Each structure stands twice: as structure tokens, then as C-alpha cells.
Amino acid sequence: MHLPLAQSYATLGPQFFRAQPAEPVAAPELLLLNEALARSLTLDPEALKSPEGLALLSGNEAPAQHSPIAQAYAGHQFGGWSPQLGDGRALLLGDITTPEGTFDLQLKGSGRTPFSRNGDGRAWLGPVLREYIVSEAMQALGVPTTRALAAVATGERVQRERAYPGAILTRVAASHIRVGTFQYFAARADTQALEALTAFALKRHYPKAEGPMGLLSAVVAAQARLIAHWMSLGFIHGVMNTDNMAISGQTIDYGPCAFIDAYHPQTVYSSIDRMGRYAYDQQAQIGGWNLAQLASALLPIMGGEEAIPEATERVNAFREIYQAEYLARFAAKLGLSKPGAEDLPLITELLEIMATEQADFTNTFRALTEGHNPLPDSLAFAAWHGRWQARAPSLDLMKQANPALIPRNHRIEQAIQAAVAGDLAPTTRLIQALATPFDPPEGTEDLRLPPLPEEEVQATFCGT
């Protein structure tokens, strides 16, 4: 199948990637196709459903123009330095330019690459469906995110703690350049590569910014806005390693991610994050830490030690931008149209009450939006509610900031279990309902409910 794909990233030089085809799969079957996204990419959904399209989406056939590539990068994983990571189970098919911009198309779960280390390069159905569901929900919620174009069953089994059905996700991103991409070349003292990568990133993402300092400031601002948006929705990324932070400011790499049910600021969902490094209330701090690593990687092309004071100042701007964005987003959730610093205690007090009462994060804010009392037995909430009402909140503003539906972890797990058994209906129902989270379709009331004790999912797993 011919796609209008370029391989722009490959023009940076051979040290940036390894070219190779995907590993063929036995019996590919198209499970999900995001037709609206396909059309926005100027692709024909019917052609993608054809045998030729399926061959491309499964990795059984490479694009006609060029070989897919695995991108090189490094990163700090849970704070520990790994000098070489790279795409161990993903291949970049190429990029496509549309009136809305340029986007990468990548296969995830397409087999081993030179960066796979001890991994098999495959993905099983569960993580593929999780990323499809959550990334598309994030798009509907207005959060910058990578997106899912297609999910394909491979007809093969993938061995994890047991054998699961294999699958491949086709992911769409503004790019797959990460903080860890810059760290990879900084660790090798390859200033030419750093300069080329910086120029490429500026052209693709921030054409109005200038030079490495301009890039740093642009990424700092984008990440501050992104993480504040996560926080306002109760979203936990779960594995904010530097190789999982995209320069574009999009949410990338949906592994042990989840939306909070009963609110607690130290909530963790990753099965391996035993120290709470990536807990909900640590995300802004980790974002700033990751950006400091980006600044360090860029120092060799910013003037070395002499550039440290200015680079530090630009990284430190993260805190101010984040706090302003955090205030604006939570103020909107409370209908405060002209928020000021004096409103922050009102926001903080509500969150503290919610933590004490173990209130559901999403449903508490939605109940306020719909004029209901989410905590009728709480005297502290009653006192808070009076002070909030005195601010004359705007319900119209709240309706735009407080979704009724989020991709709840237990619903995702139920959908995955059904899909493993051959039933995709719960998955497609979730995807359709989550497409309009602020104005939910009739008949989706059950999807708004928090989990029963026996339905709770305590942890999700990194990787695929």
C-alpha cells in the first residue's frame, strides 16, 4: 500500500536510528481503526482496511518508499541513568504532512530491534488496548497526546506471566523526539548531532523559538501546561522517565497510567514504583527534574558552563508557569472566571477534604457542576461549599472543565479481559462513550461509577 510518507528523521544521519523491517506476524487481523484520525491524516480508511493496508499496519509489509527505523535515545529510568535505550519494540514508518502539521506514524509491538536488549519486541493485546482507549480519551479531554490509529491482532501468542494474544498498535505523534534523545548524544559528546537534533525539533515543533535556549524555554512551557492539565483531571502518567517525556509537549508512552478514583495525592498505579517517585502529587516536581536533564544535555551547544545560569533560570521558569496553569485549570473546575492567588486556598482546601473523605475525584467535581452535593455528610465540605458559593461560580465554565466520563481503570481492565476472550464490544463501547466526555451519551451512566471494592485495580504494569 502506498502512503504519502517521508522519513524526515532519517535525514539527521545514521547515528540517530537503525533501519530494519518489522518482524512478520502469522495471521494479522484488524481489531480497531480510528477512521476519523485516518481522514485527518489524509488517509483513506477503506484502503487501510484492505489486505494491503492490513499488511502495512501489521508490519508484514514496509512502506514502499523506505525502510522503517528504530530511533536511538537514552534516559533516566526511575532516576537511574541508562546510556542506551532506543525503540526496543517500535518502528517509525515515517511522517506524513497534512494541513494541520507533520505527524509520525509508528508501529508498537512490531518485533525486536537492535535496541531490544533482552526483550522480544512484541506487545500483547492488553497494553495495546489500554493505550488506544486512554490516548483517544485524552484527545477528547483536550489534553495534548499521541493518538491511536489502529490496533491489529497478530495471530500469535506473547509470553509474559502467561501466554497472551499478541497485538500491534499504530501510534500517531507530533514526533517521537524525547528528552532522552538529547541525552543520548550529549552522553556521546556528539555536538554535531545535538545541533542537528535541535534544529530539527525547532523546525518541527517551535519554529518561532531560536537556538537551544529557545528550545529549552519552549519545552519547559509546554510541559508545565501539560502536567497541570494532567493534574486537573486526576491523571497519573505512572512512568515519567526522561525517555518518556516528549519534546512536543504531548503525553507519550501510556504504560502504568490511570485516572484517580478515590482521591489521595500520593496515589501510585505503577506496579514497580514502590517508592512513589511518580505519584500523582510528584508529577510537577519530576517534570522540572526531567527538564533540568534536558538543559544539561543541551549545555554543550549553549556555551558550556557559562550558559548554566541562564539555562537554570529557564528551567526554573517551569514552576511559575505550572503554578499559573494549575490555578487556571482548577479555578475553571470551580467556575471561577477571574482567579487570583487568593483562590488557591479554596482549591487546596477542597482537595484536602476530598482526600480525608476518600471522595471520587472526577465525580466530586462533576457533582458540583450538576448542582449536587457530593459529600452530604461532611461538615468541612458544607463550610467550604458556602465560601465557594459566595464566589458566584459559573456553571458554564465548569461544564467545560469537568468531564462526566474518564477511562476508569477497572473498566479498561474489564474491556481487556473481554477482548482476550474474543469480545471487543466493551472496548468499542468505551471508546465511543469517551469520545464525548463532557456530554456523555445516554446509557453510559454505569461508566461514571467508581469501582466496587472487588473491582479496584491497584496497579498496572510498565511496558507491553
Side-chain angles (χ1 to χ4, degrees):
M1 176 183 175
H2 179 80
L3 292 180
L5 288 175
Q7 194 62 283
S8 302
Y9 196 76
T11 63
L12 290 172
Q15 70 271 47
F16 284 82
F17 64 91
R18 304 291 185 273
Q20 69 164 76
E23 293 181 3
V25 300
E29 176 189 356
L30 184 63
L31 301 177
L32 299 166
L33 179 66
N34 192 334
E35 296 192 20
L37 177 57
R39 285 190 287 270
S40 75
L41 294 169
T42 68
L43 302 177
D44 179 5
E46 295 307 314
L48 291 173
K49 295 177 187 177
S50 70
E52 294 80 10
L54 180 58
L56 182 76
L57 296 174
S58 65
N60 279 1
E61 203 171 281
Q65 304 95 316
H66 48 251
S67 173
I69 63 174
Q71 292 174 283
Y73 49 85
H76 282 90
Q77 298 188 306
F78 289 88
W81 170 242
S82 296
Q84 179 170 297
L85 296 169
D87 290 330
R89 53 173 171 257
L91 288 171
L92 180 63
L93 294 179
D95 54 272
I96 185 167
T97 299
T98 76
E100 297 179 0
T102 299
F103 300 92
D104 283 357
L105 270 64
Q106 183 196 67
L107 299 182
K108 286 188 69 179
S110 53
R112 286 181 56 81
T113 78
F115 302 113
S116 295
R117 295 178 290 175
N118 296 323
D120 61 14
R122 290 301 188 189
W124 72 275
L125 182 60
V128 166
L129 293 184
R130 174 178 292 277
E131 179 157 350
Y132 196 113
I133 293 167
V134 179
S135 64
E136 286 305 298
M138 293 284 268
Q139 171 70 17
L141 288 164
V143 182
T145 180
T146 61
R147 299 191 64 187
L149 177 62
V152 171
T154 64
E156 301 172 348
R157 307 295 284 183
V158 173
Q159 189 64 42
R160 296 297 182 257
E161 63 271 17
R162 64 182 179 86
Y164 291 100
I168 295 172
L169 178 79
T170 305
R171 180 163 72 183
V172 176
S175 82
H176 287 83
I177 304 171
R178 310 153 186 270
V179 170
T181 315
F182 288 86
Q183 291 180 290
Y184 180 86
F185 295 107
R188 287 156 179 76
D190 191 341
T191 55
Q192 285 188 330
L194 281 173
E195 288 171 346
L197 182 60
T198 297
F200 184 94
L202 286 168
K203 182 179 179 180
R204 173 73 70 92
H205 299 301
Y206 306 109
K208 294 182 180 179
E210 293 185 10
M213 279 292 185
L215 176 64
L216 178 60
S217 287
V219 177
V220 164
Q223 287 294 332
R225 292 190 297 267
L226 176 66
I227 296 171
H229 207 161
W230 291 354
M231 298 293 285
S232 74
L233 295 167
F235 176 75
I236 304 172
H237 183 278
V239 59
M240 290 177 65
N241 297 331
T242 57
D243 56 295
N244 294 337
M245 178 177 272
I247 296 300
S248 64
Q250 290 185 316
T251 313
I252 193 171
D253 290 333
Y254 291 90
C257 61
F259 287 76
I260 292 176
D261 292 311
Y263 176 68
H264 195 286
Q266 283 87 50
T267 301
V268 174
Y269 280 106
S270 170
S271 61
I272 63 174
D273 190 5
R274 297 180 181 89
M275 303 302 291
R277 178 180 174 87
Y278 300 139
Y280 170 78
D281 68 349
Q282 296 299 305
Q283 293 185 122
Q285 179 179 333
I286 291 297
W289 191 90
N290 286 352
L291 291 163
Q293 310 316 307
L294 174 61
S296 295
L298 289 169
L299 273 181
I301 59 171
M302 291 196 295
E305 291 187 6
E306 293 183 2
I308 290 177
E310 183 178 354
T312 301
E313 182 180 348
R314 298 203 182 206
V315 171
N316 288 343
F318 172 87
R319 182 176 179 83
E320 182 178 347
I321 299 169
Y322 169 79
Q323 289 179 334
E325 191 72 14
Y326 178 95
L327 174 60
R329 290 208 170 272
F330 273 90
K333 292 176 77 65
L334 294 179
L336 309 179
S337 57
K338 294 182 180 180
E342 68 277 5
D343 291 315
L344 191 57
L346 192 69
I347 295 165
T348 302
E349 184 181 353
L350 175 60
L351 292 172
E352 289 173 348
I353 294 169
M354 288 167 59
T356 299
E357 299 291 338
Q358 296 186 311
D360 185 86
F361 186 93
T362 300
N363 288 352
T364 296
F365 284 103
R366 187 67 184 192
L368 292 173
T369 304
E370 296 174 349
H372 306 311
N373 185 345
L375 298 168
D377 299 325
S378 171
L379 294 177
F381 176 78
W384 175 90
H385 191 270
R387 292 193 295 277
W388 171 62
Q389 283 289 295
R391 293 283 282 109
S394 164
L395 292 182
D396 288 339
L397 185 59
M398 295 174 70
K399 288 175 182 176
Q400 299 172 42
N402 293 316
L405 293 180
I406 55 166
R408 292 188 181 271
N409 223 14
H410 68 296
R411 293 300 187 192
I412 295 172
E413 291 299 325
Q414 290 166 4
I416 289 171
Q417 291 172 18
V420 168
D423 181 10
L424 273 176
T427 296
T428 55
R429 180 179 181 238
L430 261 184
I431 293 169
Q432 290 168 2
L434 291 165
T436 54
F438 298 96
D439 185 19
E442 291 185 10
T444 58
E445 291 78 12
D446 59 312
L447 300 180
R448 298 177 62 169
L449 299 175
L452 298 170
E454 63 271 20
E455 295 176 322
E456 288 184 8
V457 178
Q458 301 294 337
T460 54
F461 293 86
C462 290
T464 56

